[in-house]
Amino acid sequence: MADHDDYRERLTTLMEGLLGLYAYMQALFEELPLPVIAPDFTPVNGEDGPVQALLSLNRVRQLIEDEPISDMRKRAFEHMVLDWFTAYELLVITKMAGAAPWRLDAAEFALNRVLTWIEVIEEDDPEDES
């Protein structure tokens, strides 16, 4: 029973991290030279928020190409979004298919990569952009 409780606690922690990173990414998108607005992830007023958020997040990958930022930052944004999607998919599969330590490990690894991409984005000097 303790293993099951540890699994649930870890899954909950990773889901909270996933949602927190989504909110942080929203703020990064809004700070772009051509601001991009991604809808909130949670449903609002009966709307299917996650579906719209996921579709919008995928659209961000296309919009980033038109941003007047360096190619390095464009790639960092794209990789950040893809790693976030990887973590999301793994956590959804975990909720549906049940406990599998490798899924939680892989989701955590993807979330850590998102953090790394955020650091790359924030450390890149916008003054150096082409």
Side-chain angles (χ1 to χ4, degrees), residues 7-18 91 111:
Y7 155 77
R8 286 182 147 201
E9 184 177 325
R10 188 167 179 215
L11 179 61
T12 299
T13 299
L14 290 172
M15 288 298 291
E16 289 171 355
L18 181 83
L91 293 174
L111 291 175

Side-chain angles (χ1 to χ4, degrees), residues 50-92:
V51 171
Q52 288 304 312
L54 294 170
L55 292 173
S56 294
L57 192 55
N58 188 52
R59 178 82 172 115
V60 167
R61 294 175 45 214
Q62 297 165 344
L63 295 174
I64 290 295
E65 288 303 313
D66 295 330
E67 288 288 336
I69 59 177
S70 70
D71 286 342
M72 183 185 80
R73 280 188 89 204
K74 287 178 185 181
R75 294 298 69 76
F77 271 101
E78 181 178 7
H79 294 311
M80 176 186 68
V81 170
L82 289 174
D83 282 327
W84 188 92
F85 273 130
T86 299
Y88 173 80
E89 295 289 331
L90 285 166
L91 293 174
V92 168

Side-chain angles (χ1 to χ4, degrees), residues 105-116:
D105 291 345
E108 184 175 3
F109 188 70
L111 291 175
N112 284 328
R113 286 192 314 261
V114 171
L115 288 170
T116 300

Side-chain angles (χ1 to χ4, degrees), residues 11-51:
L11 179 61
T12 299
T13 299
L14 290 172
M15 288 298 291
E16 289 171 355
L18 181 83
L19 295 176
L21 285 172
Y22 183 86
Y24 200 90
M25 291 184 340
Q26 283 178 297
L28 287 176
F29 301 148
E30 291 175 11
E31 293 174 0
L32 285 163
L34 304 172
V36 176
I37 307 300
D40 290 339
F41 191 79
T42 55
V44 178
N45 299 329
E47 296 175 20
D48 200 356
V51 171

